[in-house]
Amino acid sequence: MPGEQGKASTEYVSEESALAEHETWRRERWEEVSGPRGLAATTVLAKITESEQTIPGVPGHWSPPTAGSVRFTATSEDGVSVAGEPVDGTVELASRTSIEFHDGRFGIVGVYDGMGALTVWDPHAPTLTRLKEIATYPFDPTWIIDGEYVPAPADRVADVTRLTNPPSKDTIPAPGDIIVELNGERHRLVAVEYATGELLLVVFTDSTSGSATPGIGRWLILPKPEGSTVRLDFNRAIVPNHVFSDLFPCPLPPAGNHLPLRVEAGERGPVHADE
């Protein structure tokens, strides 16, 4: 029940200020999902690992990076441009190079750890055009709670299943646990690295999972704590990227990351035009 969740945050913020901050966060979150480079507009997430590789739905041929650049070959008939210039032949594309397609799609090339990658967004993708909103629970300041951060050994990893087709197994660095008290009971959640280790990701399920919220759980994304206290704002629990585009290989919750109560805070799920 509201007001009974756990130990409130020791950082004093008025309810009015907290609500205003939350509304700003919601607007930014909506842009992250529905903007031109939003999650719902993503139609290609490809790794470039082989010479003269083809990518389904994308013209041309791609080769892994050499000297930090991906090699791309296309003809003028393919209708691909880089920096406004049509590609007719072979070009070297450095990381963060933008690329445009004749049908209005656009993308960006990446180079990560010596491997090439391509992300493409489509402003006409049904996953985007049908999306009306993200349903959420009403903001409730009693779901802003202080937890305890317990660092783990430096080499600890969490075994997770990723939502690929078919599902795949993976290990993710898991630098610490978060202990949170809810309704008088202590719960321990494994936190994994997120965004190249700069943030922590807590993937959890609760008693709303599979009914009011996705069965694959929800996420809390947190800055790495500098001390033993971590602020958890369950109003910012988000649904995984996978619910907006099944291209995203999101992790399922690590074993044990279940809260045996209804976390009626944060996002509930996408709402589409035909629903």
Side-chain angles (χ1 to χ4, degrees):
M1 295 175 59
E4 296 185 2
Q5 278 73 51
K7 183 181 177 184
S9 171
T10 56
E11 178 185 342
Y12 176 77
V13 179
S14 71
E15 184 171 339
E16 218 173 74
S17 297
L19 179 57
E21 184 179 317
H22 181 71
E23 290 302 322
T24 298
W25 173 81
R26 281 196 65 189
R27 288 192 294 271
E28 293 172 348
R29 169 65 174 161
W30 178 244
E31 179 68 15
E32 177 189 25
V33 171
S34 67
R37 295 175 184 257
L39 302 172
T42 307
T43 56
V44 174
L45 283 176
K47 296 178 180 179
I48 302 168
T49 58
E50 300 176 7
S51 181
E52 295 300 304
Q53 178 178 334
T54 58
I55 297 174
V58 177
H61 293 80
W62 304 79
S63 295
T66 56
S69 296
V70 169
R71 179 170 294 177
F72 172 60
T73 303
T75 67
S76 57
E77 287 78 15
D78 289 321
V80 182
S81 299
V82 174
E85 293 293 326
V87 176
D88 189 10
T90 298
V91 293
E92 299 288 337
L93 305 178
S95 189
R96 310 303 297 173
T97 296
S98 296
I99 186 167
E100 302 85 36
F101 303 93
H102 69 90
D103 56 5
R105 293 181 301 160
F106 57 95
I108 193 166
V109 173
V111 177
Y112 310 98
D113 298 325
M115 182 178 66
L118 176 67
T119 303
V120 176
W121 297 275
D122 183 355
H124 306 296
T127 49
L128 175 64
T129 58
R130 291 175 50 245
L131 182 65
K132 292 174 56 179
E133 62 175 322
I134 305 171
T136 65
Y137 288 101
F139 175 77
D140 182 352
T142 66
W143 280 107
I144 303 174
I145 299 165
D146 278 340
E148 178 186 355
Y149 180 65
V150 182
D155 59 349
R156 191 183 74 161
V157 296
D159 296 320
V160 298
T161 297
R162 285 196 178 274
L163 292 169
T164 53
N165 187 19
S168 57
K169 301 292 185 180
D170 194 9
T171 56
I172 308 175
D177 292 344
I178 293 174
I179 299 174
V180 60
E181 183 177 311
L182 297 170
N183 295 349
E185 295 187 1
R186 285 163 61 87
H187 306 278
R188 193 178 191 105
L189 301 171
V190 175
V192 298
E193 283 191 354
Y194 186 71
T196 65
E198 298 172 3
L199 300 169
L200 295 178
L201 172 63
V202 178
V203 186
F204 71 94
T205 54
D206 66 273
S207 297
T208 71
S209 302
S211 54
T213 63
I216 57 177
R218 289 184 287 168
W219 294 3
L220 284 173
I221 299 174
L222 311 167
K224 272 191 175 179
E226 296 182 357
S228 60
T229 300
V230 58
R231 185 188 187 193
L232 302 175
D233 185 352
F234 284 95
N235 295 288
R236 298 192 182 188
I238 62 175
V239 293
N241 299 347
H242 192 84
V243 305
F244 301 107
S245 171
D246 60 11
L247 296 173
F248 290 100
C250 295
L252 293 174
N257 272 26
H258 177 72
L259 297 172
L261 70 157
R262 293 183 66 84
V263 179
E264 295 183 336
E267 294 182 349
R268 299 180 62 181
V271 177
H272 296 101
D274 54 356
E275 295 177 347

